[in-house]
Structure formats: structure tokens, C-alpha cells
Amino acid sequence: MKSLAEFVRETPFFAIAHRGSSGDAPENTMAALRRALSSGAPMVELDVQRTADNTLVVFHDDVLGRTTNGRGYIRQTSTDDLMKLDAGSWFSEAFAGERVPTIVQALELLAGRVYVNIELKPFDDSDTSTIDDVHKLVELVHRFNMAHTVAFSSFDHRTLALVKHLDWRLPTVALQVPGDERPPATVVASCGANAWGCSVEELTSDWATNARAHGIPYGVYTVNTKPDLDAMLALGVHAVVTNYPERIMNFSTNR
Ligand code: G3P
Ligand code: MG
């Protein structure tokens, strides 16, 4: 695989599978990651959380109830108990028995096959283990030889600065905190990020112009329909995060 930096330079527009192909399979499960791979999307986004006994797992919420048959906080749940939960039935009976993957299982599947966007959830200031999590993830990225094919994204720009401190070559994407009115170039400069993203509702032509003028690749989340895709392409986005990568790639190639 070519480096992500080279790919972004050469590719005017690409789709990023959000939490895997999460419109087609339960988000952040191996099934969703496999569907993302078969969709042909060049990049897969996933979220990372931690269990009570410090296993990093692919999971979005801090609570279990929305996407598993469990209850309570993931950080208060042991890895053994988490692995017993069904992370597929809430989406469809066809996915009954899907488990919450560990980040290692996910990277074993994805490394070397697709660009991976690892979203780091915001720092909890009372919880210094978040710093250990970032250390572990950076180590894993090196163990899987993914330094040139991964991007770390976050709404918490301190975590991105920490990634850069650990290895300045690792690409980072600053996600705009809703309500933050600073333009992309200011946000990116504040943490040394390589790219920038915001929600589809937030992107303005001023922000797009600002990012382009500073040579910053920029993207939006979450684009699932043709009208939204057309509006974003008109604003010159380099990437869209989507729950339906196959559909969005068909729309963009058939324009
Ligand atoms: O990549 C952007 C997107 O994943 C951020 O929001 O809540 O879906 O993780 P969220
Ligand atoms: Mg995410």
C-alpha cells in the first residue's frame, strides 16, 4: 500500500466507512469491518474504548445499552463480561452473536488492506489511563506496520498532540468541536494535525475556502445521501465519512 499521505495527494475524493460499513452491519463489529473491506472503501473509521481491565476495544459509546445486550459503562465492565455480550442482535437477528472486537482483532483484519482511521474519544481529565491508551495504540500501529497507513482522529486535540509527541510522522485529523468557531487552519495549527473534519451540517464555504487556502485536506461526517454528497462535493471536500460506503462510491463515480 502506498502511504496515506501519498494516497490523499493523488486522490481528489474518497469514502471513509464509518464504524465499518455501519449502515449494512452492526457498527464497530468484525462484520461491519469485513463489509467495509468488501465495499472497496479505501479507509475505515473505528472508535476505541477501554474495558475495566484495560483492554482496548472497538466501540463507540461509553455505555453498553445502545449496541449490545449489556447494561452499564464499558469502563466498568471486565473484558470477559464484555466478550459475552451480543453486539449484533440490536441491528438485526442476522448478526446475532457478533462480539465487540478488540482493537488487536480489528487491526489483524485491516492492517495492510485499507487505510484505518482510529478515532480517539475525548480525554477524561480525571482518568490518566487515557494517556496509556494512546501509548498502547501508537505501539500497536508500529507492531502492525501501519505508521504510513493509519490516521488518528479526535475531537480532543490534546490526544492528537500526544500522538504527534510520540511519533510526529503519524497522520492526525482534527475534528471540529461543535460550537468552536475557529477556522480549520487555526484548529489544525493548534495541534499540528495533518487534516481536518467537521459534521456535514457545519461545513461552510468560508471554512472550506480557509482549509483549501492552507493546503489542508478536509472531510465531513456523516454523508449517506446523494443530495448531501453533492452539496459536499460542491464545497470541495476530499473525503466523506459514510455508513454506506458502497452507495456513496457509486454516487460519486456516476456523477
Ligand atoms: O469521523 C468522524 C465521526 O466518527 C465522529 O463522530 O460520534 O461518529 O464517532 P462519531
Ligand atoms: Mg467515530
Side-chain angles (χ1 to χ4, degrees), residues 90-103:
W90 69 274
F91 185 86
S92 150
E93 274 311 306
F95 293 99
E98 276 297 320
R99 302 291 168 209
V100 174
T102 64
I103 186 68

Side-chain angles (χ1 to χ4, degrees), residues 120 123 131 134-135 138 152-175 187-194:
L120 304 162
F123 256 121
I131 296 171
V134 177
H135 274 86
V138 168
F152 285 96
S153 61
S154 189
F155 291 100
D156 188 331
H157 304 155
R158 293 171 300 176
T159 62
L160 300 181
L162 176 56
V163 168
K164 285 291 188 192
H165 175 73
L166 295 174
D167 185 345
W168 62 272
R169 297 166 303 177
L170 293 173
T172 58
V173 184
L175 298 174
V187 172
V188 160
S190 73
C191 57
N194 302 88

Side-chain angles (χ1 to χ4, degrees), residues 18-19 45 47 60 117 119 121 153 155 175 221-222 241:
H18 184 223
R19 311 180 191 173
E45 187 259 3
D47 307 286
H60 181 272
N117 178 333
E119 187 185 342
K121 288 303 179 191
S153 61
F155 291 100
L175 298 174
Y221 64 90
T222 308
V241 177

Side-chain angles (χ1 to χ4, degrees), residues 1-247:
M1 276 175 93
K2 59 181 66 166
S3 76
L4 178 60
E6 195 181 346
F7 172 78
V8 170
R9 264 197 309 275
E10 289 176 356
T11 312
F13 170 76
F14 62 99
I16 303 171
H18 184 223
R19 311 180 191 173
S21 193
S22 60
D24 306 302
E27 65 179 57
N28 285 329
T29 61
M30 294 302 274
L33 300 178
R34 280 192 293 268
R35 285 291 283 265
L37 279 180
S38 63
S39 78
M43 177 176 263
V44 177
E45 187 259 3
L46 51 79
D47 307 286
V48 178
Q49 291 280 3
R50 175 183 356 112
T51 64
D53 46 341
N54 298 319
T55 302
L56 296 177
V57 293
V58 181
F59 201 79
H60 181 272
D61 297 358
D62 52 359
V63 290
L64 301 170
R66 184 177 63 84
T67 59
T68 74
N69 60 344
R71 290 284 174 272
Y73 288 92
I74 190 164
R75 287 191 180 184
Q76 292 171 2
T77 305
S78 71
T79 309
D80 278 355
D81 286 344
L82 185 71
M83 295 308 157
K84 290 179 190 134
L85 299 180
D86 180 337
S89 294
W90 69 274
F91 185 86
S92 150
E93 274 311 306
F95 293 99
E98 276 297 320
R99 302 291 168 209
V100 174
T102 64
I103 186 68
V104 170
Q105 289 169 328
L107 296 185
E108 273 167 359
L109 174 69
L110 302 175
R113 301 176 75 185
V114 72
Y115 299 106
V116 181
N117 178 333
I118 299 178
E119 187 185 342
L120 304 162
K121 288 303 179 191
F123 256 121
D124 172 350
D125 281 322
S126 63
D127 179 4
T128 50
S129 305
T130 311
I131 296 171
D132 297 338
D133 296 346
V134 177
H135 274 86
K136 274 191 209 161
L137 285 167
V138 168
E139 271 171 32
L140 273 179
V141 159
H142 286 295
R143 195 201 303 167
F144 281 94
N145 282 322
M146 295 173 68
H148 297 289
T149 58
V150 75
F152 285 96
S153 61
S154 189
F155 291 100
D156 188 331
H157 304 155
R158 293 171 300 176
T159 62
L160 300 181
L162 176 56
V163 168
K164 285 291 188 192
H165 175 73
L166 295 174
D167 185 345
W168 62 272
R169 297 166 303 177
L170 293 173
T172 58
V173 184
L175 298 174
Q176 189 82 2
V177 177
D180 184 350
E181 291 177 0
R182 293 175 303 159
T186 308
V187 172
V188 160
S190 73
C191 57
N194 302 88
W196 175 86
C198 70
S199 76
V200 63
E201 293 83 16
E202 289 170 304
L203 185 64
T204 61
S205 59
D206 280 357
W207 278 358
T209 304
N210 173 272
R212 214 170 19 251
H214 289 83
I216 300 165
Y218 58 103
V220 288
Y221 64 90
T222 308
V223 171
N224 295 323
T225 66
K226 187 157 189 327
D228 274 356
L229 176 65
D230 288 343
M232 293 301 108
L233 289 172
L235 289 174
V237 297
H238 298 99
V240 296
V241 177
T242 177
N243 299 345
Y244 300 93
E246 204 164 330
R247 180 200 293 178

